[in-house]
């Protein structure tokens, strides 16, 4: 039985994780659950799964939860609650699916407490990949990927060292504006929030859906891959694959390529992270090749999607620049969703913030968080001026 701490239990990844746990009651136990604002769903989950502890962001909501769950479940709140849950002595693995930077400290706390971590929050490796991977090596714990692409690469690598790799190929659906005939560059400024929120193959949270439309999501994944698999940025490639059946590929030095395929369902990479190194029987995911018919691949368009080259530059220069890219993008997406800037201005704003940043090489966590705060304020100034 694996004891899982789930940080971010009410979001898209969190609810899929709960489904996986329900599929495998003999293998996985939800030891603890943390949620942001949705205390009603957290309460439902707690009643059903009877974890040892739960935590809610807002301290004001903790008392009502305490009254509702009784004494068998400890109730915590805030960042302190996340740290408490991430380091519970009985925890085997901590799955971090919290939006934003709030997952960073609990991830490091879990590693230092000797726990394996499963990472769904991109910020953790994008902002602090070097620190997180170094700490994981020092403490002898695993950093497992929950993202479908990184899970695919992890499965394809199957323990082979980076020296066997010619290139990692992340696949991208291309998002809703992939088709250059339907969406030429001139039309990008007319893209509405509603249109950008319609993703062709995945149902996800709002921020990540916009990131899939700009391809910033893939850019962040490139930086994550660089750290998770210890390869330099030039060995991380992106290919557009609209069917989202090939989840990613590894090209080995002998020219052989290994890919991982299935119909898209986030439950699969989540289950693999939670059952690794085992494979657990589940009927949830079925792949029908004749029905899929064909799989196609194309080059990403750098003109319409400059996010990829911005992310490549951030990953190559490293230091505090990936944290700046990430924070600037978060603020720019918020400004787009609130209709203060148009769609192409998301990448333009990120680019301007990156250009204004003085990069700190091999930063400490404190310097990373300072760069994050600086980028938020700088991007805020730019987007508020529009
Ligand atoms: Mg992904």
């Amino acid at each position: 039985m694996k004891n899982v701490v789930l940080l971010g239990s009410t979001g898209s990844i969190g609810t899929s994780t709960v489904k996986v746990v329900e599929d495998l009651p003999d293998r996985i136990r939800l030891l603890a659950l943390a949620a942001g604002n949705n205390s009603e769903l957290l309460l439902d989950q707690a009643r059903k799964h009877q974890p040892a502890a739960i935590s809610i962001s807002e301290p004001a909501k903790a008392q009502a939860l305490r009254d509702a769950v009784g004494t068998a479940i400890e109730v915590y709140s805030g960042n302190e609650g996340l740290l408490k849950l991430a380091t519970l002595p009985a925890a085997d693995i901590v799955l971090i699916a919290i939006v934003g930077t709030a997952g960073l400290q609990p991830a490091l706390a879990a590693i230092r407490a000797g726990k394996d971590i499963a990472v769904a929050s991109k910020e953790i490796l994008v902002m602090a990949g070097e620190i997180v991977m170094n700490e994981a090596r020092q403490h002898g714990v695993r950093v497992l990927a929950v993202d479908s692409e990184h899970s695919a690469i992890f499965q394809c690598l199957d323990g082979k060292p980076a020296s066997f790799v010619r290139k990692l190929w992340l696949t991208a659906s291309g998002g809703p504006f992939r088709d250059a005939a339907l969406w030429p560059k001139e039309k990008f400024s007319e893209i509405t929030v509603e249109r950008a929120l319609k993703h062709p193959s995945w149902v996800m949270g709002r921020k990540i859906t916009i990131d899939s439309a700009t391809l910033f999501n893939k850019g962040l994944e490139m930086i994550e891959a660089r750290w998770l698999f210890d390869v330099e940025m030039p060995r991380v490639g992106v290919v557009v694959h609209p069917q989202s059946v090939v989840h990613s590929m590894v090209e080995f030095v002998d020219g052989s390529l290994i890919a991982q395929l299935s119909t898209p369902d986030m439950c699969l990479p989540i289950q693999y992270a939670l059952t690794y190194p085992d494979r657990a029987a589940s009927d949830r995911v079925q792949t029908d090749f004749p029905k899929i018919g064909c799989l196609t691949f194309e080059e990403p368009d750098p003109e319409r999607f400059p996010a990829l080259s911005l992310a490549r530059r951030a990953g190559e220069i490293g230091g505090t620049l990936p944290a700046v890219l990430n924070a600037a993008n978060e603020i720019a997406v918020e400004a787009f969703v609130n209709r203060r800037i148009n769609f192409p201005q998301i990448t333009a704003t990120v680019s301007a913030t990156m250009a204004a940043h003085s990069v700190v090489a091999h930063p400490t966590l404190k310097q990373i968080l300072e760069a994050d705060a600086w980028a938020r304020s700088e991007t805020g100034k730019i987007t508020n001026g529009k």
Side-chain angles (χ1 to χ4, degrees):
M1 185 66 86
K2 248 188 205 172
N3 281 316
V4 175
V5 171
L6 174 56
L7 306 183
S9 67
T10 58
S12 166
I13 295 289
T15 50
S16 293
T17 304
V18 172
K19 276 194 225 164
V20 169
V21 173
E22 287 167 0
D23 284 350
L24 305 171
D26 303 332
R27 283 181 169 266
I28 308 170
R29 178 187 171 221
L30 283 174
L31 178 71
L33 299 166
N37 294 313
N38 195 343
S39 61
E40 276 149 50
L41 181 53
L42 176 65
L43 183 58
D44 286 349
Q45 292 172 335
R47 281 186 169 138
K48 191 160 180 202
H49 292 273
Q50 292 295 314
I54 59 173
S55 184
I56 185 90
S57 279
E58 247 179 81
K61 290 183 176 172
Q63 194 52 49
L65 281 169
R66 235 169 249 133
D67 296 341
V69 296
T71 51
I73 302 174
E74 291 282 352
V75 180
Y76 300 99
S77 64
N79 287 332
E80 217 173 293
L82 293 175
L83 294 175
K84 186 80 194 170
L85 265 49
T87 56
L88 283 175
D92 296 308
I93 184 164
V94 180
L95 194 155
I96 304 149
I98 310 171
V99 184
T101 54
L104 194 49
Q105 303 275 16
L108 286 167
I111 290 170
R112 288 169 189 155
K115 317 291 181 192
D116 288 342
I117 61 169
V119 178
S121 309
K122 295 204 158 63
E123 292 78 7
I124 293 170
L125 289 167
V126 169
M127 292 175 70
E130 193 173 9
I131 295 175
V132 168
M133 296 310 285
N134 279 338
E135 292 262 354
R137 264 189 292 274
Q138 274 169 33
H139 291 88
V141 302
R142 291 187 184 113
V143 178
L144 293 155
V146 166
D147 222 342
S148 60
E149 293 80 0
H150 304 87
S151 175
I153 289 173
F154 182 68
Q155 293 178 59
C156 296
L157 275 173
D158 198 26
K160 304 283 188 301
S163 60
F164 286 7
V165 174
R166 186 188 285 169
K167 202 154 181 171
L168 304 178
W169 286 103
L170 294 170
T171 51
S173 72
F177 311 116
R178 176 183 61 84
D179 192 334
L182 284 175
W183 293 100
K185 202 180 174 196
E186 310 80 70
K187 272 179 78 176
F188 266 38
S189 56
E190 297 162 24
I191 289 170
T192 61
V193 175
E194 291 71 21
R195 194 65 195 72
L197 284 172
K198 275 190 204 142
H199 193 271
S201 41
W202 295 98
V203 179
M204 304 173 292
R206 208 159 73 147
K207 158 76 168 45
I208 188 171
T209 305
I210 301 292
D211 284 351
S212 299
T214 55
L215 295 200
F216 257 115
N217 183 53
K218 211 50 55 180
L220 297 172
E221 288 178 357
M222 288 164 70
I223 301 171
E224 277 188 285
R226 182 253 174 279
W227 290 115
L228 263 176
F229 306 112
D230 197 22
V231 298
E232 325 74 61
M233 285 308 278
R235 283 201 285 162
V236 181
V238 172
V239 63
V240 172
H241 167 52
Q243 295 81 17
S244 301
V245 170
V246 174
H247 299 309
S248 276
M249 304 177 268
V250 176
E251 182 179 347
F252 288 97
V253 285
D254 59 0
S256 182
L257 275 134
I258 297 187
Q260 186 258 340
L261 296 81
S262 77
T263 44
D265 188 328
M266 278 311 293
C267 287
L268 190 51
I270 292 168
Q271 173 173 319
Y272 191 67
L274 296 183
T275 58
Y276 178 83
D278 294 348
R279 294 231 178 230
S282 169
D283 293 330
R284 184 178 288 281
V285 180
Q286 307 286 342
T287 304
D288 182 342
F289 277 106
K291 206 171 151 194
I292 294 165
C294 72
L295 301 175
T296 60
F297 301 90
E298 55 195 76
E299 194 95 53
D301 179 352
E303 287 293 313
R304 293 184 306 141
F305 302 104
L308 287 179
S309 49
L310 286 178
R312 185 171 291 285
R313 183 148 61 87
E316 262 161 16
I317 294 170
T320 45
L321 200 54
V324 167
L325 167 107
N326 172 69
N329 177 50
E330 218 175 291
I331 300 300
V333 168
E334 209 176 275
F336 170 68
V337 171
N338 294 328
R339 298 165 219 273
R340 287 204 309 275
I341 62 172
N342 69 24
F343 189 80
Q345 282 168 339
I346 299 174
T347 37
T349 305
V350 175
S351 178
T353 306
M354 281 170 69
H357 180 61
S358 310
V359 179
V360 180
H362 303 293
T364 61
L365 189 62
K366 186 168 170 273
Q367 288 170 318
I368 290 170
L369 294 171
E370 280 165 6
D372 172 88
W374 172 86
R376 281 168 203 277
S377 124
E378 184 72 17
T379 315
K381 280 184 222 156
I382 299 172
T383 57
N384 284 327
K386 304 267 180 203

